[in-house]
Amino acid sequence: MGAAPEASNENVRKSMQGNKRRDTKPELVVRKMLRDMGHPGYRLDWKKAHGHPDIAYPGRKLAIYVMGCFWHQHEGCKYASKPKQHTDYWEAKFARNKQRDAEVRAAMEADGWTVVEIWECELKKDKIEATRNRLEREISWAFVEL
């Protein structure tokens, strides 16, 4: 994949530069959800694990990735639009993102980690309660006191 194409205008360039790797709004929502469930003590962008999980509980081998629907091309999601310009670049970029996501998940699971993916669209008002319930079900095993 070559260098990113030139932005079509200054507003597009500024918008793309504003995309953050961490502390995104969806990440902040999930972190608040975890604290409200009584599960603080996570590590952020934990660099000792494959793919630097957005949220990690290293002692419990639990990793939570908060996935942007656009950047990770969430199947069937209305937020996973495809740019109309520079399509070759974007198709290659999205394919690589999806390939890397699969590789990271496989490596984490091979190392004994439980991986939970939360999609950006699952944090919208109409789905957030179901997402909270799913998250609690998927991670509750890690917080059972022995």
Side-chain angles (χ1 to χ4, degrees):
M1 185 169 74
E6 286 293 316
S8 55
N9 64 51
E10 185 62 17
N11 290 336
V12 169
R13 187 182 73 75
K14 284 183 181 177
S15 175
M16 295 302 285
Q17 284 182 330
N19 291 318
K20 301 187 293 183
R21 181 184 174 345
R22 61 177 279 183
D23 297 331
T24 63
K25 184 176 178 184
E27 251 184 73
L28 296 175
V29 168
V30 173
R31 286 163 29 191
K32 181 177 183 337
M33 210 182 282
L34 290 165
R35 287 190 308 275
D36 290 348
M37 289 177 194
H39 306 311
Y42 44 74
R43 302 290 175 261
L44 301 177
D45 196 31
W46 204 58
K47 293 179 179 29
K48 293 181 182 178
H50 303 281
H52 304 178
D54 298 312
I55 300 166
Y57 293 92
R60 294 170 161 78
K61 287 202 158 196
L62 172 63
I64 301 171
Y65 292 88
V66 182
M67 312 288 277
C69 296
F70 173 77
W71 294 107
H72 299 273
Q73 287 296 289
H74 187 199
E75 294 292 324
C77 178
K78 69 181 179 181
Y79 301 105
S81 62
K82 293 201 178 0
K84 292 176 179 37
Q85 295 182 335
H86 309 293
T87 54
D88 289 344
Y89 169 81
W90 286 107
E91 285 174 12
K93 169 94 174 133
F94 293 145
R96 177 65 188 123
N97 287 354
K98 290 179 97 166
Q99 178 185 354
R100 184 178 58 244
D101 293 343
E103 290 169 358
V104 164
R105 184 179 191 111
M108 291 291 283
E109 289 174 347
D111 285 348
W113 285 72
T114 296
V115 176
V116 177
E117 291 176 349
I118 303 287
W119 290 94
E120 175 183 15
C121 66
E122 293 180 297
L123 300 170
K124 302 296 182 190
K125 286 181 186 175
D126 61 333
K127 294 182 180 177
I128 196 159
E129 195 57 38
T131 302
R132 181 187 316 274
N133 292 336
R134 175 175 75 85
L135 181 60
E136 183 63 43
R137 277 191 318 273
E138 290 190 31
I139 70 170
S140 61
W141 64 268
F143 296 95
V144 174
E145 295 299 323
L146 300 175

